[in-house]
Amino acid sequence: MKITLRSELPRLVLIAAMFVLAAVTWSSAPDRIPTHWNIHGQVDGYGGKFTGLLLLPLITLGLEALFLLLPLLDPGRANYRNFAGAYTLIRSAVIVLLAAIYGVTILWIHGIQLDIARVITVLVGLLFIAIGSVLGKLRPNWFVGIRTPWTLSSKRSWVRTHRLGGYLFVLAGAALLVAGLISSAAIFPLLIGLLVVVTLVLVVYSYLQWRRDPEKQPPSGSLPG
């Protein structure tokens, strides 16, 4: 997978904007900054200026670096060029999610207190939809995708599980999006319930597809070396 400054520029600009916001807000920010909200959207954790203003931008920068490093470490690195667009979209969606959460924190510092439970639910729903839209395009690798013993042991299982996973992620994301837009009630149980159901369905489905595969050949890129 070819990485260039031009291809990385949108994410780097977004991360840089987070640090700029931290610098601009630093002098006017209170000593106690909200860093955690409970399931009812109420602040139940505070931190100092470093934790409240710099920790999330640093985590986001670290994730971007990790995303760039993974294809270099992956024994199946040759496959990344076959799903470079999908990998870029997933990386972008994660960075946008973190930047949006950081933006909500900055708004709280300035007295604009959004319903954090609903905001996070909508953002996670959009993330699910984004990932689901490209999940079926992922090719075997060691770090990205639905990695069960059976998807890594059968090309059929990998392809069909990721195809189903794409549909399920989009449906789960749409459910979260609607729930976040309508009401903040029961959002946390809905999120946990969807994650559990989707995970169980995909694990069982990957096993069944492996059982039905007469060849059971590990897909290219899923073996070391």
Side-chain angles (χ1 to χ4, degrees):
M1 186 178 72
K2 185 177 181 180
I3 296 173
T4 65
L5 178 61
R6 181 177 180 179
S7 66
E8 298 305 313
L9 192 58
R11 285 170 296 284
L12 294 177
V13 168
L14 193 57
I15 294 171
M18 295 172 70
F19 283 99
V20 170
L21 272 177
V24 171
T25 308
W26 191 275
S27 60
S28 61
D31 292 331
R32 297 176 72 243
I33 297 175
T35 57
H36 190 270
W37 289 259
N38 61 27
I39 62 175
H40 304 294
Q42 301 168 336
V43 179
D44 63 358
Y46 291 88
K49 289 187 176 182
F50 176 84
T51 302
L53 291 176
L54 283 179
L55 184 59
L56 193 53
L58 289 171
I59 290 174
T60 307
L61 179 61
L63 276 176
E64 171 66 5
L66 180 62
F67 282 139
L68 294 175
L69 186 61
L70 289 182
L72 302 178
L73 299 177
D74 199 323
R77 64 178 67 90
N79 273 349
Y80 279 77
R81 64 174 176 265
N82 297 320
F83 63 94
Y87 186 57
T88 297
L89 190 146
I90 291 173
R91 294 193 293 129
S92 298
V94 172
I95 298 301
V96 169
L97 171 68
L98 294 175
I101 293 173
Y102 185 71
V104 172
T105 302
I106 297 297
L107 290 176
W108 268 73
I109 292 174
H110 292 289
I112 304 174
Q113 299 182 358
L114 303 178
D115 187 335
I116 192 67
R118 295 179 68 177
V119 171
I120 295 298
T121 302
V122 168
L123 291 174
V124 173
L126 292 173
L127 177 66
F128 271 45
I129 292 172
I131 293 176
S133 68
V134 297
L135 201 57
K137 298 179 181 179
L138 297 184
R139 296 298 176 262
N141 67 90
W142 279 64
F143 296 117
V144 185
I146 304 168
R147 295 174 39 77
T148 71
W150 306 290
T151 58
L152 295 178
S153 302
S154 162
K155 182 178 180 180
R156 168 176 169 157
S157 179
W158 176 280
V159 171
R160 296 194 177 189
T161 300
H162 281 78
R163 189 178 300 159
L164 175 63
Y167 293 125
L168 293 181
F169 267 65
V170 170
L171 290 174
L176 290 172
L177 183 59
V178 171
L181 292 175
I182 293 177
S183 172
S184 60
I187 282 177
F188 186 72
L190 174 63
L191 176 59
I192 298 301
L194 285 173
L195 288 174
V196 171
V197 170
V198 169
T199 300
L200 287 177
V201 168
L202 291 176
V203 168
V204 172
Y205 186 76
S206 69
Y207 170 73
L208 293 176
Q209 290 302 317
W210 172 81
R211 283 288 303 270
R212 295 168 184 168
D213 186 354
E215 298 180 353
K216 292 185 176 60
Q217 291 296 320
S220 174
S222 64
L223 293 177

PDB file of all heavy atoms in Angstrom, residues 21-34 46-54 102 105-111:
ATOM      1  N   LEU A  21      -6.638  23.721  18.677  1.00  0.00           N
ATOM      2  CA  LEU A  21      -7.725  24.001  19.615  1.00  0.00           C
ATOM      3  C   LEU A  21      -7.239  23.930  21.063  1.00  0.00           C
ATOM      4  O   LEU A  21      -7.638  24.743  21.901  1.00  0.00           O
ATOM      5  CB  LEU A  21      -8.867  23.008  19.406  1.00  0.00           C
ATOM      6  CG  LEU A  21      -9.932  23.361  18.371  1.00  0.00           C
ATOM      7  CD1 LEU A  21     -10.939  22.224  18.248  1.00  0.00           C
ATOM      8  CD2 LEU A  21     -10.640  24.649  18.745  1.00  0.00           C
ATOM      9  N   ALA A  22      -6.391  22.939  21.353  1.00  0.00           N
ATOM     10  CA  ALA A  22      -5.843  22.810  22.702  1.00  0.00           C
ATOM     11  C   ALA A  22      -5.028  24.047  23.068  1.00  0.00           C
ATOM     12  O   ALA A  22      -5.150  24.585  24.182  1.00  0.00           O
ATOM     13  CB  ALA A  22      -4.973  21.560  22.797  1.00  0.00           C
ATOM     14  N   ALA A  23      -4.209  24.522  22.147  1.00  0.00           N
ATOM     15  CA  ALA A  23      -3.376  25.692  22.414  1.00  0.00           C
ATOM     16  C   ALA A  23      -4.211  26.951  22.611  1.00  0.00           C
ATOM     17  O   ALA A  23      -3.965  27.754  23.518  1.00  0.00           O
ATOM     18  CB  ALA A  23      -2.392  25.886  21.262  1.00  0.00           C
ATOM     19  N   VAL A  24      -5.230  27.118  21.756  1.00  0.00           N
ATOM     20  CA  VAL A  24      -6.086  28.307  21.836  1.00  0.00           C
ATOM     21  C   VAL A  24      -6.917  28.304  23.113  1.00  0.00           C
ATOM     22  O   VAL A  24      -7.178  29.355  23.714  1.00  0.00           O
ATOM     23  CB  VAL A  24      -7.005  28.373  20.591  1.00  0.00           C
ATOM     24  CG1 VAL A  24      -8.061  29.460  20.755  1.00  0.00           C
ATOM     25  CG2 VAL A  24      -6.185  28.620  19.334  1.00  0.00           C
ATOM     26  N   THR A  25      -7.335  27.119  23.548  1.00  0.00           N
ATOM     27  CA  THR A  25      -8.222  27.002  24.706  1.00  0.00           C
ATOM     28  C   THR A  25      -7.467  26.969  26.031  1.00  0.00           C
ATOM     29  O   THR A  25      -8.052  27.219  27.082  1.00  0.00           O
ATOM     30  CB  THR A  25      -9.076  25.714  24.563  1.00  0.00           C
ATOM     31  OG1 THR A  25      -9.705  25.691  23.283  1.00  0.00           O
ATOM     32  CG2 THR A  25     -10.154  25.633  25.623  1.00  0.00           C
ATOM     33  N   TRP A  26      -6.195  26.683  25.988  1.00  0.00           N
ATOM     34  CA  TRP A  26      -5.417  26.402  27.200  1.00  0.00           C
ATOM     35  C   TRP A  26      -5.556  27.487  28.259  1.00  0.00           C
ATOM     36  O   TRP A  26      -5.853  27.205  29.432  1.00  0.00           O
ATOM     37  CB  TRP A  26      -3.952  26.207  26.843  1.00  0.00           C
ATOM     38  CG  TRP A  26      -3.128  25.649  27.982  1.00  0.00           C
ATOM     39  CD1 TRP A  26      -2.537  26.343  28.990  1.00  0.00           C
ATOM     40  CD2 TRP A  26      -2.838  24.274  28.219  1.00  0.00           C
ATOM     41  NE1 TRP A  26      -1.880  25.494  29.842  1.00  0.00           N
ATOM     42  CE2 TRP A  26      -2.049  24.213  29.390  1.00  0.00           C
ATOM     43  CE3 TRP A  26      -3.152  23.085  27.544  1.00  0.00           C
ATOM     44  CZ2 TRP A  26      -1.582  23.012  29.907  1.00  0.00           C
ATOM     45  CZ3 TRP A  26      -2.692  21.888  28.065  1.00  0.00           C
ATOM     46  CH2 TRP A  26      -1.911  21.861  29.224  1.00  0.00           C
ATOM     47  N   SER A  27      -5.339  28.744  27.891  1.00  0.00           N
ATOM     48  CA  SER A  27      -5.307  29.830  28.889  1.00  0.00           C
ATOM     49  C   SER A  27      -6.672  30.098  29.512  1.00  0.00           C
ATOM     50  O   SER A  27      -6.777  30.511  30.677  1.00  0.00           O
ATOM     51  CB  SER A  27      -4.778  31.114  28.251  1.00  0.00           C
ATOM     52  OG  SER A  27      -5.606  31.513  27.171  1.00  0.00           O
ATOM     53  N   SER A  28      -7.753  29.854  28.757  1.00  0.00           N
ATOM     54  CA  SER A  28      -9.095  30.142  29.267  1.00  0.00           C
ATOM     55  C   SER A  28      -9.788  28.927  29.863  1.00  0.00           C
ATOM     56  O   SER A  28     -10.867  29.047  30.449  1.00  0.00           O
ATOM     57  CB  SER A  28      -9.969  30.715  28.137  1.00  0.00           C
ATOM     58  OG  SER A  28     -10.088  29.776  27.069  1.00  0.00           O
ATOM     59  N   ALA A  29      -9.184  27.758  29.723  1.00  0.00           N
ATOM     60  CA  ALA A  29      -9.806  26.530  30.231  1.00  0.00           C
ATOM     61  C   ALA A  29      -9.731  26.475  31.750  1.00  0.00           C
ATOM     62  O   ALA A  29      -8.752  26.933  32.359  1.00  0.00           O
ATOM     63  CB  ALA A  29      -9.125  25.307  29.634  1.00  0.00           C
ATOM     64  N   PRO A  30     -10.763  25.913  32.389  1.00  0.00           N
ATOM     65  CA  PRO A  30     -10.719  25.752  33.853  1.00  0.00           C
ATOM     66  C   PRO A  30      -9.707  24.674  34.247  1.00  0.00           C
ATOM     67  O   PRO A  30      -9.247  23.900  33.400  1.00  0.00           O
ATOM     68  CB  PRO A  30     -12.152  25.330  34.188  1.00  0.00           C
ATOM     69  CG  PRO A  30     -12.647  24.661  32.944  1.00  0.00           C
ATOM     70  CD  PRO A  30     -12.013  25.409  31.807  1.00  0.00           C
ATOM     71  N   ASP A  31      -9.388  24.623  35.516  1.00  0.00           N
ATOM     72  CA  ASP A  31      -8.428  23.622  35.990  1.00  0.00           C
ATOM     73  C   ASP A  31      -9.017  22.214  35.988  1.00  0.00           C
ATOM     74  O   ASP A  31      -8.281  21.238  35.920  1.00  0.00           O
ATOM     75  CB  ASP A  31      -7.954  23.983  37.406  1.00  0.00           C
ATOM     76  CG  ASP A  31      -7.111  25.255  37.411  1.00  0.00           C
ATOM     77  OD1 ASP A  31      -6.457  25.524  36.386  1.00  0.00           O
ATOM     78  OD2 ASP A  31      -7.138  25.977  38.428  1.00  0.00           O
ATOM     79  N   ARG A  32     -10.364  22.138  36.078  1.00  0.00           N
ATOM     80  CA  ARG A  32     -11.057  20.844  36.040  1.00  0.00           C
ATOM     81  C   ARG A  32     -11.868  20.769  34.757  1.00  0.00           C
ATOM     82  O   ARG A  32     -12.801  21.533  34.557  1.00  0.00           O
ATOM     83  CB  ARG A  32     -11.957  20.657  37.272  1.00  0.00           C
ATOM     84  CG  ARG A  32     -11.199  20.627  38.571  1.00  0.00           C
ATOM     85  CD  ARG A  32     -12.135  20.543  39.775  1.00  0.00           C
ATOM     86  NE  ARG A  32     -12.763  19.232  39.900  1.00  0.00           N
ATOM     87  CZ  ARG A  32     -14.066  19.027  39.809  1.00  0.00           C
ATOM     88  NH1 ARG A  32     -14.891  20.029  39.560  1.00  0.00           N
ATOM     89  NH2 ARG A  32     -14.569  17.798  39.964  1.00  0.00           N
ATOM     90  N   ILE A  33     -11.502  19.816  33.902  1.00  0.00           N
ATOM     91  CA  ILE A  33     -12.138  19.677  32.596  1.00  0.00           C
ATOM     92  C   ILE A  33     -12.847  18.325  32.527  1.00  0.00           C
ATOM     93  O   ILE A  33     -12.268  17.296  32.910  1.00  0.00           O
ATOM     94  CB  ILE A  33     -11.090  19.777  31.477  1.00  0.00           C
ATOM     95  CG1 ILE A  33     -10.439  21.168  31.494  1.00  0.00           C
ATOM     96  CG2 ILE A  33     -11.719  19.500  30.112  1.00  0.00           C
ATOM     97  CD1 ILE A  33      -9.310  21.317  30.508  1.00  0.00           C
ATOM     98  N   PRO A  34     -14.090  18.293  32.048  1.00  0.00           N
ATOM     99  CA  PRO A  34     -14.803  17.004  31.927  1.00  0.00           C
ATOM    100  C   PRO A  34     -14.027  16.039  31.015  1.00  0.00           C
ATOM    101  O   PRO A  34     -13.612  16.395  29.919  1.00  0.00           O
ATOM    102  CB  PRO A  34     -16.142  17.393  31.297  1.00  0.00           C
ATOM    103  CG  PRO A  34     -16.323  18.840  31.618  1.00  0.00           C
ATOM    104  CD  PRO A  34     -14.932  19.419  31.623  1.00  0.00           C
ATOM    105  N   TYR A  46     -13.307  14.121  35.921  1.00  0.00           N
ATOM    106  CA  TYR A  46     -12.635  15.361  35.527  1.00  0.00           C
ATOM    107  C   TYR A  46     -11.128  15.130  35.481  1.00  0.00           C
ATOM    108  O   TYR A  46     -10.599  14.188  36.092  1.00  0.00           O
ATOM    109  CB  TYR A  46     -12.938  16.489  36.524  1.00  0.00           C
ATOM    110  CG  TYR A  46     -14.367  16.977  36.507  1.00  0.00           C
ATOM    111  CD1 TYR A  46     -15.343  16.357  37.296  1.00  0.00           C
ATOM    112  CD2 TYR A  46     -14.737  18.057  35.725  1.00  0.00           C
ATOM    113  CE1 TYR A  46     -16.658  16.810  37.290  1.00  0.00           C
ATOM    114  CE2 TYR A  46     -16.050  18.527  35.720  1.00  0.00           C
ATOM    115  CZ  TYR A  46     -16.998  17.897  36.499  1.00  0.00           C
ATOM    116  OH  TYR A  46     -18.296  18.341  36.488  1.00  0.00           O
ATOM    117  N   GLY A  47     -10.445  15.979  34.739  1.00  0.00           N
ATOM    118  CA  GLY A  47      -8.999  15.917  34.670  1.00  0.00           C
ATOM    119  C   GLY A  47      -8.430  17.318  34.575  1.00  0.00           C
ATOM    120  O   GLY A  47      -9.168  18.295  34.409  1.00  0.00           O
ATOM    121  N   GLY A  48      -7.130  17.402  34.672  1.00  0.00           N
ATOM    122  CA  GLY A  48      -6.467  18.692  34.532  1.00  0.00           C
ATOM    123  C   GLY A  48      -6.388  19.104  33.070  1.00  0.00           C
ATOM    124  O   GLY A  48      -6.943  18.453  32.183  1.00  0.00           O
ATOM    125  N   LYS A  49      -5.654  20.183  32.817  1.00  0.00           N
ATOM    126  CA  LYS A  49      -5.566  20.702  31.452  1.00  0.00           C
ATOM    127  C   LYS A  49      -4.868  19.718  30.514  1.00  0.00           C
ATOM    128  O   LYS A  49      -5.273  19.574  29.354  1.00  0.00           O
ATOM    129  CB  LYS A  49      -4.837  22.050  31.445  1.00  0.00           C
ATOM    130  CG  LYS A  49      -5.648  23.186  32.062  1.00  0.00           C
ATOM    131  CD  LYS A  49      -4.939  24.515  31.878  1.00  0.00           C
ATOM    132  CE  LYS A  49      -5.800  25.651  32.405  1.00  0.00           C
ATOM    133  NZ  LYS A  49      -5.171  26.979  32.205  1.00  0.00           N
ATOM    134  N   PHE A  50      -3.834  19.046  31.004  1.00  0.00           N
ATOM    135  CA  PHE A  50      -3.142  18.091  30.138  1.00  0.00           C
ATOM    136  C   PHE A  50      -4.082  16.964  29.730  1.00  0.00           C
ATOM    137  O   PHE A  50      -4.202  16.630  28.550  1.00  0.00           O
ATOM    138  CB  PHE A  50      -1.913  17.523  30.833  1.00  0.00           C
ATOM    139  CG  PHE A  50      -1.216  16.454  30.023  1.00  0.00           C
ATOM    140  CD1 PHE A  50      -0.299  16.808  29.048  1.00  0.00           C
ATOM    141  CD2 PHE A  50      -1.500  15.105  30.218  1.00  0.00           C
ATOM    142  CE1 PHE A  50       0.329  15.833  28.278  1.00  0.00           C
ATOM    143  CE2 PHE A  50      -0.881  14.126  29.454  1.00  0.00           C
ATOM    144  CZ  PHE A  50       0.042  14.494  28.490  1.00  0.00           C
ATOM    145  N   THR A  51      -4.762  16.385  30.723  1.00  0.00           N
ATOM    146  CA  THR A  51      -5.667  15.270  30.437  1.00  0.00           C
ATOM    147  C   THR A  51      -6.846  15.722  29.581  1.00  0.00           C
ATOM    148  O   THR A  51      -7.225  15.054  28.612  1.00  0.00           O
ATOM    149  CB  THR A  51      -6.195  14.654  31.745  1.00  0.00           C
ATOM    150  OG1 THR A  51      -5.086  14.209  32.531  1.00  0.00           O
ATOM    151  CG2 THR A  51      -7.117  13.479  31.458  1.00  0.00           C
ATOM    152  N   GLY A  52      -7.422  16.870  29.921  1.00  0.00           N
ATOM    153  CA  GLY A  52      -8.614  17.325  29.239  1.00  0.00           C
ATOM    154  C   GLY A  52      -8.374  17.895  27.852  1.00  0.00           C
ATOM    155  O   GLY A  52      -9.247  17.809  26.988  1.00  0.00           O
ATOM    156  N   LEU A  53      -7.192  18.473  27.624  1.00  0.00           N
ATOM    157  CA  LEU A  53      -6.942  19.149  26.351  1.00  0.00           C
ATOM    158  C   LEU A  53      -5.939  18.438  25.451  1.00  0.00           C
ATOM    159  O   LEU A  53      -6.005  18.578  24.230  1.00  0.00           O
ATOM    160  CB  LEU A  53      -6.453  20.582  26.614  1.00  0.00           C
ATOM    161  CG  LEU A  53      -7.481  21.555  27.208  1.00  0.00           C
ATOM    162  CD1 LEU A  53      -6.831  22.896  27.505  1.00  0.00           C
ATOM    163  CD2 LEU A  53      -8.672  21.723  26.274  1.00  0.00           C
ATOM    164  N   LEU A  54      -5.017  17.693  26.032  1.00  0.00           N
ATOM    165  CA  LEU A  54      -3.948  17.115  25.217  1.00  0.00           C
ATOM    166  C   LEU A  54      -4.007  15.600  25.073  1.00  0.00           C
ATOM    167  O   LEU A  54      -3.480  15.057  24.097  1.00  0.00           O
ATOM    168  CB  LEU A  54      -2.576  17.503  25.789  1.00  0.00           C
ATOM    169  CG  LEU A  54      -2.108  18.929  25.506  1.00  0.00           C
ATOM    170  CD1 LEU A  54      -0.744  19.178  26.151  1.00  0.00           C
ATOM    171  CD2 LEU A  54      -2.027  19.196  24.005  1.00  0.00           C
ATOM    172  N   TYR A 102     -13.602  15.116  20.716  1.00  0.00           N
ATOM    173  CA  TYR A 102     -12.779  16.201  21.262  1.00  0.00           C
ATOM    174  C   TYR A 102     -13.492  17.543  21.098  1.00  0.00           C
ATOM    175  O   TYR A 102     -13.466  18.385  21.998  1.00  0.00           O
ATOM    176  CB  TYR A 102     -11.429  16.227  20.550  1.00  0.00           C
ATOM    177  CG  TYR A 102     -10.463  17.233  21.132  1.00  0.00           C
ATOM    178  CD1 TYR A 102      -9.893  17.027  22.384  1.00  0.00           C
ATOM    179  CD2 TYR A 102     -10.115  18.382  20.437  1.00  0.00           C
ATOM    180  CE1 TYR A 102      -9.005  17.943  22.924  1.00  0.00           C
ATOM    181  CE2 TYR A 102      -9.229  19.299  20.959  1.00  0.00           C
ATOM    182  CZ  TYR A 102      -8.673  19.071  22.210  1.00  0.00           C
ATOM    183  OH  TYR A 102      -7.802  19.986  22.742  1.00  0.00           O
ATOM    184  N   THR A 105     -15.941  18.054  23.811  1.00  0.00           N
ATOM    185  CA  THR A 105     -15.267  18.452  25.045  1.00  0.00           C
ATOM    186  C   THR A 105     -14.969  19.948  25.039  1.00  0.00           C
ATOM    187  O   THR A 105     -15.178  20.646  26.043  1.00  0.00           O
ATOM    188  CB  THR A 105     -13.960  17.659  25.225  1.00  0.00           C
ATOM    189  OG1 THR A 105     -14.247  16.260  25.253  1.00  0.00           O
ATOM    190  CG2 THR A 105     -13.260  18.056  26.524  1.00  0.00           C
ATOM    191  N   ILE A 106     -14.478  20.461  23.925  1.00  0.00           N
ATOM    192  CA  ILE A 106     -14.179  21.888  23.817  1.00  0.00           C
ATOM    193  C   ILE A 106     -15.457  22.705  23.986  1.00  0.00           C
ATOM    194  O   ILE A 106     -15.458  23.769  24.643  1.00  0.00           O
ATOM    195  CB  ILE A 106     -13.513  22.203  22.458  1.00  0.00           C
ATOM    196  CG1 ILE A 106     -12.163  21.476  22.338  1.00  0.00           C
ATOM    197  CG2 ILE A 106     -13.325  23.705  22.284  1.00  0.00           C
ATOM    198  CD1 ILE A 106     -11.132  21.906  23.364  1.00  0.00           C
ATOM    199  N   LEU A 107     -16.559  22.237  23.409  1.00  0.00           N
ATOM    200  CA  LEU A 107     -17.834  22.945  23.566  1.00  0.00           C
ATOM    201  C   LEU A 107     -18.268  22.988  25.035  1.00  0.00           C
ATOM    202  O   LEU A 107     -18.773  24.011  25.507  1.00  0.00           O
ATOM    203  CB  LEU A 107     -18.914  22.271  22.717  1.00  0.00           C
ATOM    204  CG  LEU A 107     -18.778  22.434  21.200  1.00  0.00           C
ATOM    205  CD1 LEU A 107     -19.863  21.633  20.475  1.00  0.00           C
ATOM    206  CD2 LEU A 107     -18.864  23.908  20.800  1.00  0.00           C
ATOM    207  N   TRP A 108     -18.073  21.889  25.745  1.00  0.00           N
ATOM    208  CA  TRP A 108     -18.405  21.861  27.173  1.00  0.00           C
ATOM    209  C   TRP A 108     -17.577  22.892  27.931  1.00  0.00           C
ATOM    210  O   TRP A 108     -18.092  23.566  28.825  1.00  0.00           O
ATOM    211  CB  TRP A 108     -18.155  20.461  27.743  1.00  0.00           C
ATOM    212  CG  TRP A 108     -19.361  19.577  27.689  1.00  0.00           C
ATOM    213  CD1 TRP A 108     -19.904  18.997  26.576  1.00  0.00           C
ATOM    214  CD2 TRP A 108     -20.184  19.183  28.785  1.00  0.00           C
ATOM    215  NE1 TRP A 108     -21.006  18.261  26.912  1.00  0.00           N
ATOM    216  CE2 TRP A 108     -21.212  18.346  28.262  1.00  0.00           C
ATOM    217  CE3 TRP A 108     -20.153  19.430  30.151  1.00  0.00           C
ATOM    218  CZ2 TRP A 108     -22.198  17.780  29.067  1.00  0.00           C
ATOM    219  CZ3 TRP A 108     -21.133  18.859  30.952  1.00  0.00           C
ATOM    220  CH2 TRP A 108     -22.139  18.052  30.419  1.00  0.00           C
ATOM    221  N   ILE A 109     -16.309  23.005  27.592  1.00  0.00           N
ATOM    222  CA  ILE A 109     -15.444  23.986  28.261  1.00  0.00           C
ATOM    223  C   ILE A 109     -15.987  25.393  28.059  1.00  0.00           C
ATOM    224  O   ILE A 109     -15.905  26.254  28.956  1.00  0.00           O
ATOM    225  CB  ILE A 109     -14.008  23.878  27.724  1.00  0.00           C
ATOM    226  CG1 ILE A 109     -13.383  22.550  28.162  1.00  0.00           C
ATOM    227  CG2 ILE A 109     -13.142  25.045  28.203  1.00  0.00           C
ATOM    228  CD1 ILE A 109     -12.022  22.277  27.560  1.00  0.00           C
ATOM    229  N   HIS A 110     -16.580  25.641  26.905  1.00  0.00           N
ATOM    230  CA  HIS A 110     -17.117  26.969  26.590  1.00  0.00           C
ATOM    231  C   HIS A 110     -18.595  27.107  26.964  1.00  0.00           C
ATOM    232  O   HIS A 110     -19.259  28.058  26.543  1.00  0.00           O
ATOM    233  CB  HIS A 110     -16.928  27.267  25.105  1.00  0.00           C
ATOM    234  CG  HIS A 110     -15.495  27.452  24.710  1.00  0.00           C
ATOM    235  ND1 HIS A 110     -14.752  28.550  25.080  1.00  0.00           N
ATOM    236  CD2 HIS A 110     -14.655  26.665  23.997  1.00  0.00           C
ATOM    237  CE1 HIS A 110     -13.522  28.449  24.594  1.00  0.00           C
ATOM    238  NE2 HIS A 110     -13.438  27.305  23.941  1.00  0.00           N
ATOM    239  N   GLY A 111     -19.111  26.159  27.739  1.00  0.00           N
ATOM    240  CA  GLY A 111     -20.462  26.279  28.268  1.00  0.00           C
ATOM    241  C   GLY A 111     -21.562  25.745  27.387  1.00  0.00           C
ATOM    242  O   GLY A 111     -22.749  25.891  27.702  1.00  0.00           O
TER     243      GLY A 111
END
